[in-house]
Amino acid sequence: MNETEQTGSRCVETPIAAGLHRIILYVRDVDISTSFYAFFFGFKAIRTPTDRLTELVPENGGAHLLLHKAGKAQKLGQAAVKLVFDVENVAAFHECASNKGLKFGSIHQADGYEFANAKDPDGNSVQVSSRAFKST
């Protein structure tokens, strides 16, 4: 079943559920953020000279990150958004990323999975979590 929106004189059908496939992040320096997500999380950058966005594609599927240069007045790291990256072994990822210079907080135990939090270069919250791998 689809919901319908009225747009001017035409109707556009909107699906009730849609997957999350792209997330826009506003960043101070697109190159630094591109390097951060490529180095720590294995994203590949796709750049088009006429596009204002740099698209980051994960190696193993999942949502794409679209990096957009933030405006001067834009406050960064204040959004109520946290990017969660699925990793099977949080402790191993935590150790590897720490050795590369990414500072994570403590590893937390949750309902059958683990997670740890960090910040990207612009203060945006990121998390690694084994939730996707928990046994049900």
Side-chain angles (χ1 to χ4, degrees):
M1 185 171 162
N2 288 337
E3 292 179 357
T4 305
E5 298 178 65
Q6 189 68 32
T7 308
S9 61
R10 64 186 181 110
C11 257
V12 178
E13 288 188 11
T14 306
I16 288 177
L20 175 65
H21 299 286
R22 286 174 180 75
I23 300 165
I24 295 177
L25 284 178
Y26 294 91
V27 299
R28 282 186 195 89
D29 187 309
V30 172
D31 291 332
I32 288 174
S33 293
T34 297
S35 295
F36 174 84
Y37 287 103
F39 187 71
F40 289 110
F41 298 102
F43 280 81
K44 177 184 172 194
I46 298 175
R47 293 184 169 119
T48 307
T50 56
D51 195 349
R52 293 175 50 187
L53 299 172
T54 295
E55 186 163 358
L56 302 180
V57 180
E59 286 181 6
N60 298 323
H64 293 202
L65 298 179
L66 303 173
L67 301 182
H68 190 292
K69 173 84 172 143
K72 289 179 183 178
Q74 211 162 1
K75 257 189 166 175
L76 298 175
Q78 298 296 314
V81 172
K82 182 182 287 185
L83 303 178
V84 180
F85 296 92
D86 296 328
V87 298
E88 196 162 358
N89 187 327
V90 172
F93 188 93
H94 187 288
E95 181 180 351
C96 180
S98 293
N99 290 339
K100 293 179 177 180
L102 178 58
K103 302 300 177 214
F104 274 93
S106 301
I107 296 173
H108 300 280
Q109 303 293 320
D111 185 25
Y113 66 97
E114 297 179 322
F115 66 92
N117 298 305
K119 298 281 186 180
D120 77 1
D122 292 296
N124 296 302
S125 295
V126 295
Q127 181 180 94
V128 291
S129 170
S130 63
R131 181 184 178 103
F133 303 96
K134 78 176 186 172
S135 54
T136 53

